[in-house]
Amino acid sequence: MEVGAAAAATAGGVGMGLFSYNRGNYMFDQKAHWARFNGGLNMAIAQMSQYKADIEQMTELTVARQDCYHGIAAMGLTILTAIYCPGRVGLHTPPPPGWLMGLAFVNIAGCYLFLGLTLWLAMHASMRADTASTHMLTRFVRLPIPNQGMMDKARKFLSSFEEQPLKEVFRVPFTRHCKAGPGKEGGLNEGMPVDDAAQKRSRHG
């Protein structure tokens, strides 16, 4: 009787020790799993912020350059208007021959047209860059806010430990965990699968 009682007490103590050990491991794993989820989410948000900054900087580069072209073309048009309006070249000197003034004013008129085209293209490029930036920032580069399902998969209740098989509840330290397979439970400590949308948002290579 005493041997049986001692064996029962020893078995009970070992069982409680294994239970407490595996329960503590489960709590630690779930805290690490939740911290990993938050860490990955914060890095994804930082990555999206970097993408937004890249788009804004590239757009600003295009807009600033087109503004320079726009100002230079406007100054050129002003100067050509001052030359073209009098109808002759050399106001304070004898006029050059008519054929020379004709060639000069034809060239000035051509420059006028090309500078007007430069103004239009510069304004169009600037507005198109702003439009493309707004389209990308509002349609494609958005913060990866997790949905309710992702958050439910990331968090675990401590009562979920009771749903594990007894092999996991009383697992001896340094032995293998239950593996997933056809017709059996397992794979309880594996990470959650990544959805296709999150896979597309991430950068590879």
Side-chain angles (χ1 to χ4, degrees):
M1 292 294 292
E2 294 179 358
V3 175
T10 302
V14 170
M16 288 299 298
L18 292 176
F19 179 84
S20 300
Y21 170 80
N22 289 292
R23 187 171 181 271
N25 276 349
Y26 184 84
M27 295 171 62
F28 178 81
D29 290 343
Q30 297 310 319
K31 289 180 180 179
H33 184 70
W34 179 251
R36 178 182 177 275
F37 175 77
N38 288 326
L41 189 61
N42 290 332
M43 286 189 288
I45 293 175
Q47 186 183 44
M48 286 299 165
S49 300
Q50 185 179 14
Y51 290 162
K52 286 187 174 184
D54 291 341
I55 293 174
E56 291 174 355
Q57 290 174 2
M58 289 187 291
T59 303
E60 182 62 27
L61 178 65
T62 302
V63 171
R65 185 170 297 177
Q66 298 309 313
D67 288 343
C68 291
Y69 294 155
H70 189 275
I72 293 172
M75 287 189 294
L77 284 173
T78 303
I79 296 171
L80 290 180
T81 302
I83 296 174
Y84 202 84
C85 286
R88 56 168 290 182
V89 178
L91 295 178
H92 304 289
T93 59
W99 62 270
L100 185 57
M101 285 197 300
L103 290 176
F105 280 102
V106 168
N107 285 287
I108 291 174
C111 292
Y112 211 89
L113 293 176
F114 279 109
L115 286 175
L117 182 62
T118 302
L119 281 175
W120 184 83
L121 289 176
M123 289 188 291
H124 176 77
S126 180
M127 290 186 291
R128 186 65 184 88
D130 282 333
T131 304
S133 174
T134 303
H135 179 75
M136 294 180 68
L137 291 174
T138 55
R139 295 294 183 90
F140 298 102
V141 185
R142 307 296 290 175
L143 291 179
I145 305 300
N147 55 28
Q148 190 68 32
M150 294 175 63
M151 298 184 67
D152 289 339
K153 288 181 180 179
R155 62 102 188 244
K156 289 287 185 180
F157 293 109
L158 192 56
S159 59
S160 301
F161 177 73
E162 302 171 0
E163 301 175 1
Q164 295 193 107
L166 293 179
K167 291 181 179 180
E168 285 292 319
V169 175
F170 297 102
R171 185 183 65 86
V172 178
F174 304 105
T175 58
R176 292 186 176 182
H177 292 273
C178 295
K179 298 296 181 181
K184 65 178 182 179
E185 297 179 348
L188 301 172
N189 293 314
E190 297 176 357
M192 66 177 182
V194 181
D195 59 327
D196 295 336
Q199 192 75 13
K200 291 179 180 179
R201 288 194 301 266
S202 61
R203 177 180 290 180
H204 303 280

